[in-house]
Structures are given as structure tokens and as C-alpha cells.
Amino acid sequence: MVAALLIVPPACGPQPAAKEFALDVQPPEAPVAVRTAIPGERVVFLVSAPGQASGDGAIIITATAPGASVEIDPSQLEAGRVVEVAVTPDATEEETTLSVTIGGSRGGLTDSVTRSLPVFPDVDTRQEDAAYYRGLFVPWLAQRYPDLGIDGTTPWKGTISGAHLLVVSHYLFYNDTWELAVEWHVMIAPYDWATLYLRRRFEETRPSFAAKIDSVSAATPPYETAPPDVVRR
């Protein structure tokens, strides 16, 4: 007896249509002046898709920024996750404004967002100071919030932020888990405050923890504060 071969015909009929989506990019376009960068600075834009569900499928993220190098990490945006688009301006001898275009595609549907990035010629001279101010918070974080996993041995890579701002200095640090921002007020006591915020990378589009020292020279202790509504660049 010869066994019968059962042939199953391919599924026919209309397939489910891809679900529309809208990209959200942080920080927002305005105020543009706050986002002024210098050559070599790593400006990180945070890309998410509010409303994206796990069954919708990943969104492929692309980005272009003529006059800069671009890194996308990761290249696919999954539901509930955040993609980081890092834009590093090329060397320049004159002020210019770059145009950063971030796009997404899924199932034939697309969306894009554009951000302006002013760039002016300068060099980073704040890294040593920024590491000092970060260090003022670290022992307190390790003691009070050990679940954050930050202590004196935690590795960091840094980049200047807000290089054109003079009264308040800004700097960003990154490791595999955290974006850590420090800001310090270049004034005499009792106005020489310093602040810190933390954002969990690839999960959050805004900071989830913040702290402040009211006076650095007076060695006032850090304390937890409300985190800012948006990331600072």
C-alpha cells in the first residue's frame, strides 16, 4: 500500500495590515540653543514608539546627519524599548547647523523626525572637573541606593554637553546600564550647587532618578530630588 501524500495549500486571502506607528525623539526640537554641540561631542537622541505593542513587530531605525558620524544602538526598536542614535559632529572651523533625520520602517510603513544640531568649533576642557563632581555623589549613591549598582569601581565614558553654556557646566557619562548627567553652578558659596540625574539606557526616555548638593565648597550632603522631565544635551 502506498501512503497518500497530503499537500496543504498555502494560506490565501488578505494578510493582516502592518500597524501604523509614530516615532518619538528626545530631546525635543526646542529650545535648539540648549543642544549646541562641538566637534567630537557625542549627542545621543532617544527614539521610541509610544503605543507599540509586542505583537506589532520591530521597527527598523535609520538615521542620517551630513557632517557627522552616526551610530544606532540597537538597529531595531522593540515594544517598550529605546533606541539610541548617537551623532558625533565632524571637525569644523566655523559655526554650522547640522540636520539629523531619524527614520523608522515596518511592513512598508514609515515615519521620520528631524532635529537641528548647531555646532561651533571648540574643544572639551571639562572632563576632569565633571569626573570630580560625579565623584561627589558616588559614595552616597553606593551607600543609600546600592540597587543602582553604582560605586567607585563603576566604569564610565564621558562626553561634554552644553559646551557653549558658561555659568552652568554640563557633562554626560555612560556605561552599559546608565546615562549619568552632572551639572555644576560655577559660582561661590552658597550658590555653588551640583546636580546629578540617571536614566536607564535602552529602557527610559527620561531620567528616573536625580540628586543635588546645595553647596560643594560647604560640603553639604547630597539628597534625592525630582528628576527632570527631559534629558539634557
Side-chain angles (χ1 to χ4, degrees):
M1 179 181 293
V2 179
L5 179 62
L6 179 63
I7 300 177
V8 179
C12 57
Q15 299 299 308
K19 186 177 178 181
E20 293 186 354
F21 64 91
L23 297 180
D24 178 80
V25 175
Q26 297 294 326
E29 174 68 4
V32 175
V34 174
R35 204 168 51 251
T36 300
I38 63 174
E41 176 180 340
R42 194 168 180 268
V43 183
V44 178
F45 295 92
L46 309 179
V47 186
S48 62
Q52 181 185 13
S54 58
D56 296 340
I59 300 169
I60 306 301
I61 301 299
T62 59
T64 59
S69 62
V70 177
E71 300 173 61
I72 305 172
D73 188 18
S75 60
Q76 297 189 26
L77 176 59
E78 303 283 352
R81 304 292 289 179
V82 176
V83 168
E84 295 184 353
V85 175
V87 178
T88 303
D90 298 338
T92 181
E93 296 182 356
E94 59 183 11
E95 295 186 22
T96 185
T97 298
L98 308 183
S99 179
V100 181
T101 301
I102 298 171
S105 63
R106 181 180 65 198
L109 299 176
T110 63
D111 188 36
S112 66
V113 176
T114 299
R115 290 285 181 268
S116 303
L117 183 59
V119 180
F120 75 103
D122 203 351
V123 295
D124 181 0
T125 60
R126 296 179 184 169
Q127 185 173 17
E128 185 175 344
D129 287 343
Y132 166 76
Y133 285 101
R134 183 193 70 212
L136 297 178
F137 290 94
V138 168
W140 172 77
L141 288 172
Q143 181 181 19
R144 292 286 300 274
Y145 304 94
D147 56 308
L148 297 177
I150 296 174
D151 59 28
T153 67
T154 304
W156 300 99
K157 292 183 179 180
T159 183
I160 196 170
S161 176
H164 66 302
L165 301 175
L166 301 178
V167 178
V168 178
S169 295
H170 304 250
Y171 217 86
L172 292 168
F173 293 94
Y174 293 89
N175 64 20
D176 291 342
T177 304
W178 295 107
E179 170 182 308
L180 183 156
V182 288
E183 299 178 5
W184 60 98
H185 197 206
V186 187
M187 295 287 286
I188 60 173
Y191 308 108
D192 55 335
W193 52 259
T195 64
L196 168 148
Y197 81 57
L198 293 170
R199 177 189 67 86
R200 196 173 290 273
R201 297 181 66 191
F202 312 113
E203 297 181 18
E204 298 174 335
T205 58
R206 54 173 290 177
S208 54
F209 180 90
K212 184 177 183 180
I213 296 172
D214 285 332
S215 174
V216 172
S217 62
T220 60
Y223 60 92
E224 186 175 354
T225 61
D229 291 334
V230 297
V231 290
R232 307 219 175 109
R233 298 289 183 257

